[in-house]
Amino acid sequence: MTKPSSDPKLFRVDMEPVGRRVEIGAETTLLGAAQMVGVGVVSLCGGEGWCESCRVQLVSGELSPPTPDEDNALTSNDIAAGYRLACQSFPRSHVKINIPPESLTAPQRLQVEGHAVSVELAPLITPVDITLPPPTLRDLRSDMTRLKDALIEENYEPVTCAMPVLEHLSDRLRAYDWTVRLALTQETQQAGHHIAAMLPAASSLFGLAVDIGTTKLAAYLLDLVTGETVAQTGAMNPQIMHGEDVISRIAYTDHHADGRHTLQRKLVETLNGMIRTLCEQASTLSEYIVMAVVVGNTAMHHLFTGLPVRQLAQAPYVPAVSQALRIRADEIGLQLAPGAVICLPPNIAGYVGADHVSMILATDIWQTDRTAVAVDIGTNTEITLASGGRLLSCSCASGPVFEGAHIRDGMRAAPGAVERVRIMEGKILTYTIANSPPVGICGSGILDAVAEMRAAGIVNTKGAIQRTHAHVRAGDNEHLEFLLVPAAETGHGRDVVVTHRDVNEIQLAKAAIRAGFDIVLDKAGTDIDDIDDFIIAGAFGTYIDIPNAIRVGMFPPLPLAKFRQIGNAAGMGAKRMLLSVDQLNTANAIARRVDYIELTTCPAFQTHFLNAMFL
Ligand code: FES
């Protein structure tokens, strides 16, 4: 796997979606690079080049020319699309590669769980069973007229039918012997009803709820008749290979003529794969999925629907659309029933999107008479305060550090990631995901490490590492670093350390969140002690150690009983909206009620931010 080389030049290899980075020489394969940092790439033949299990895709940069083994294993189309065998490919420049799920030995931890919510079942789409008289020489009405007349008799008027349903209408009426189950939208008298699908009599109707995160996707399949969640799945957002955060993805669309459509296509392809997985789990077919509710931050919402995103990165950062949208699945290539309706709840602002509206809905803070804070921590952290009947929201640029990015040994939450750290009487204890040998640190682990280092006096209030522990040593550029796990105990034989820069990255992220929180509190004229509930949503928020988040100053020093970690609330809100048209309407009302605070125009932000930098 490693050839002798006299070339001392090192090339950087960025691995997505796992978020690992390593530097290797030109004589080391991509498979070797992955193994150096504990990324499990399937290599059934041990790197001999014949099993084809180590396929990766080059995103940017240059690799050695394909070997004869690769020419045998890959089609010319594969090679043109950047696919290579990791065990046969050597870097010729800094490269970024995408490791597809099937080539990864250990799946990422994808959070799809959230606390169950109950809602009265009254979805936008309901089943209507109808039997039509077949045409005769005395009754020459068209198939559509025949159907409309039958629906008028049942008091459904007016009725519209999308082209994808019309295309199959005649064949299906005859195939189902003139007795069908329609998936019909429940609409107002003026707007009428829409036929989303025509299915055999007594068919089950399913709905899809999707949460499009910048990093992760969660999808749920629900039975619209029983309200039951029958399947759920998660995946990494495939757009990561074109930028790990919203800003870099917007930049990608700026720098590539077809960038916006590339990002949309990749997202829709992955969602279609997830739909297939859900259908397999539930033993059904995608044509029985007649409705979807899709939530995401504003940029993900726009990229999913094909809307422009450039203006989101330019002051004053306005969305292209803030109103709720309804589109048909076939308009964007989502493989559901022909004519299926996709509901997209409203966005609040450029950086507070429909996912946050969904979270506010799921947490019920929109109707609480208590003083409550709801926080969704991610690359952007959205905060909403409910106080005295008001809802105030802001968005803080917390960056990708909690996804393990920008950290020397950072990685996303996957087996081998250190997720908990304790320093007790100088002894360092680490806990990893899946109890695997440590190979890096994920978001909750780095937050824990910094908090424990602060408590042990290893970092001071300014974030400077002190020579107060035997594991503190000189690192790069003589900056001090803290040896968290020595090479002898790691899964890849290299030290896992916390550097001076890592501590600083945590300070920047937590200061952004705390400053946003303090400003929202100021604007509402509310005091910290008035807060009754502090709700933490989102994947990272689920695994965070609350006492340590308080210790570093990210969260206010409230009694622990006031904190609640609720999992993927955006996904739970999407499920609610799928099951209840009332909840869809409530989401619209919530978006109208929220007072959005743009932090970049807040004179006090800088002062709050600098104060919050201290540990
Ligand atoms: S490990 Fe078998 S082909 Fe690469």
Side-chain angles (χ1 to χ4, degrees):
M1 191 175 302
T2 301
K3 296 176 183 170
S5 167
S6 56
D7 183 2
K9 189 167 170 50
L10 291 178
F11 297 118
R12 194 174 61 240
V13 180
D14 280 301
M15 286 168 255
E16 297 293 359
V18 287
R20 294 307 310 265
R21 174 182 287 185
V22 66
E23 290 194 331
I24 58 170
E27 75 285 3
T28 301
T29 63
L30 296 182
L31 181 62
Q35 289 167 343
M36 280 170 70
V37 287
V39 173
V41 171
V42 187
S43 51
L44 300 178
C45 71
E48 295 290 321
W50 52 264
C51 74
E52 304 175 26
S53 63
C54 62
R55 280 164 61 107
V56 296
Q57 187 181 20
L58 180 68
V59 177
S60 61
E62 192 186 341
L63 294 172
S64 54
T67 63
D69 284 332
E70 290 182 285
D71 284 333
N72 280 340
L74 303 166
T75 66
S76 53
N77 282 348
D78 285 341
I79 290 178
Y83 283 99
R84 300 293 300 270
L85 296 181
C87 68
Q88 302 293 304
S89 307
F90 300 84
R92 292 291 176 264
S93 70
H94 297 319
V95 294
K96 181 190 273 196
I97 59 169
N98 176 49
I99 307 174
E102 61 275 16
S103 300
L104 278 170
T105 55
Q108 299 250 325
R109 185 161 68 185
L110 298 163
Q111 200 215 332
V112 293
E113 297 83 6
H115 291 198
V117 286
S118 60
V119 64
E120 197 171 325
L121 194 59
L124 176 70
I125 287 191
T126 53
V128 174
D129 294 318
I130 204 145
T131 299
L132 309 181
T136 65
L137 286 174
R138 289 211 183 92
D139 179 1
L140 296 175
R141 288 176 298 165
S142 72
D143 292 337
M144 187 63 210
T145 303
R146 189 174 305 280
L147 181 61
K148 279 191 171 179
D149 289 346
L151 285 168
I152 288 170
E153 279 179 29
E154 302 285 331
N155 293 324
Y156 294 106
E157 188 185 15
V159 170
T160 57
C161 186
M163 269 312 285
V165 180
L166 266 180
E167 278 171 25
H168 301 279
L169 182 89
S170 297
D171 288 345
R172 292 198 172 187
L173 283 173
R174 285 160 182 82
Y176 304 149
D177 202 18
W178 303 95
T179 296
V180 292
R181 170 163 275 196
L182 301 175
L184 208 63
T185 58
Q186 299 292 304
E187 299 283 11
T188 61
Q189 198 63 39
Q190 298 100 317
H193 303 270
H194 168 76
I195 302 173
M198 178 181 286
L199 299 164
S203 297
S204 298
L205 299 186
F206 294 99
L208 177 74
V210 178
D211 174 26
I212 303 176
T214 309
T215 307
K216 294 168 187 165
L217 311 173
Y220 311 84
L221 190 65
L222 280 81
D223 186 319
L224 293 180
V225 177
T226 65
E228 188 191 347
T229 302
V230 293
Q232 59 185 30
T233 189
M236 297 302 289
N237 188 327
Q239 298 171 341
I240 282 175
M241 70 175 82
H242 300 300
E244 63 192 9
D245 56 26
V246 162
I247 295 296
S248 47
R249 277 179 227 173
I250 295 173
Y252 176 81
T253 66
D254 264 352
H255 299 145
H256 297 80
D258 204 33
R260 185 148 48 101
H261 296 114
T262 300
L263 294 184
Q264 185 193 33
R265 181 174 47 77
K266 290 196 167 169
L267 177 58
V268 169
E269 278 172 7
T270 299
L271 290 173
N272 282 334
M274 294 170 78
I275 291 166
R276 286 192 290 277
T277 302
L278 292 171
C279 288
E280 277 168 25
Q281 282 180 31
S283 301
T284 188
L285 298 171
S286 59
E287 66 192 72
Y288 292 84
I289 306 174
V290 295
M291 178 189 172
V293 172
V294 177
V295 300
N297 61 48
T298 309
M300 293 306 111
H301 168 286
H302 283 23
L303 288 172
F304 172 68
T305 45
L307 292 168
V309 288
R310 180 181 296 162
Q311 76 289 346
L312 293 175
Q314 296 169 349
Y317 317 108
V318 296
V321 174
S322 55
Q323 292 82 357
L325 291 181
R326 269 196 213 171
I327 56 176
R328 276 203 332 264
D330 66 299
E331 290 175 314
I332 55 163
L334 206 60
Q335 288 163 0
L336 308 177
V341 179
I342 302 177
C343 297
L344 294 119
N347 296 306
I348 294 171
Y351 288 90
V352 181
D355 55 346
H356 195 63
V357 174
S358 190
M359 187 205 80
I360 293 172
L361 179 76
T363 55
D364 279 329
I365 63 164
W366 62 276
Q367 58 179 349
T368 184
D369 51 10
R370 295 161 67 88
T371 300
V373 176
V375 184
D376 194 344
I377 302 170
T379 318
N380 276 294
T381 295
E382 297 94 11
I383 301 171
T384 288
L385 170 70
S387 175
R390 293 178 71 195
L391 291 172
L392 293 97
S393 296
C394 73
S395 171
C396 325
S398 39
V401 61
F402 295 129
E403 297 287 352
H406 299 180
I407 297 294
R408 218 292 292 267
D409 286 317
M411 64 183 287
R412 298 207 170 94
V418 173
E419 64 169 343
R420 282 277 176 273
V421 177
R422 291 289 177 269
I423 302 175
M424 299 164 81
E425 295 172 4
K427 199 164 180 295
I428 306 158
L429 304 172
T430 57
Y431 304 87
T432 59
I433 295 175
N435 231 358
S436 304
V439 290
I441 318 172
C442 66
S444 57
I446 190 68
L447 184 74
D448 253 17
V450 172
E452 293 286 320
M453 288 163 70
R454 174 72 197 103
I458 299 165
V459 290
N460 65 16
T461 56
K462 292 181 178 169
I465 297 177
Q466 311 292 299
R467 284 193 184 274
T468 54
H469 192 285
H471 277 217
V472 175
R473 65 188 189 189
D476 293 342
N477 301 323
E478 293 307 305
H479 282 303
L480 295 181
E481 65 182 24
F482 181 64
L483 175 62
L484 191 65
V485 191
E489 297 167 23
T490 63
H492 50 30
R494 298 189 307 129
D495 292 339
V496 172
V497 302
V498 178
T499 68
H500 159 80
R501 272 192 62 183
D502 297 343
V503 176
N504 196 240
E505 290 287 344
I506 284 292
Q507 286 177 282
L508 291 168
K510 70 99 180 176
I513 294 172
R514 183 58 186 268
F517 168 78
D518 288 341
I519 285 179
V520 169
L521 227 56
D522 280 358
K523 294 271 181 193
T526 305
D527 198 69
I528 284 178
D529 295 330
D530 297 334
I531 295 172
D532 300 308
D533 302 299
F534 198 106
I535 301 164
I536 305 155
F540 171 67
T542 303
Y543 300 107
I544 207 168
D545 183 276
I546 303 286
N548 273 340
I550 295 173
R551 193 177 273 159
V552 298
M554 185 162 94
F555 293 160
L558 295 168
L560 292 182
K562 292 191 174 186
F563 288 89
R564 207 152 38 99
Q565 290 160 291
I566 59 164
N568 186 352
M572 295 310 102
K575 285 166 75 168
R576 279 189 178 207
M577 289 182 266
L578 197 56
L579 296 179
S580 162
V581 72
D582 268 0
Q583 296 284 301
L584 272 171
N585 294 335
T586 301
N588 290 336
I590 288 171
R592 284 195 298 271
R593 262 185 63 195
V594 166
D595 285 335
Y596 172 66
I597 302 164
E598 175 55 57
L599 293 181
T600 55
T601 61
C602 264
F605 180 78
Q606 208 55 20
T607 309
H608 280 289
F609 180 77
L610 291 174
N611 287 340
M613 281 289 285
F614 290 103
L615 290 170

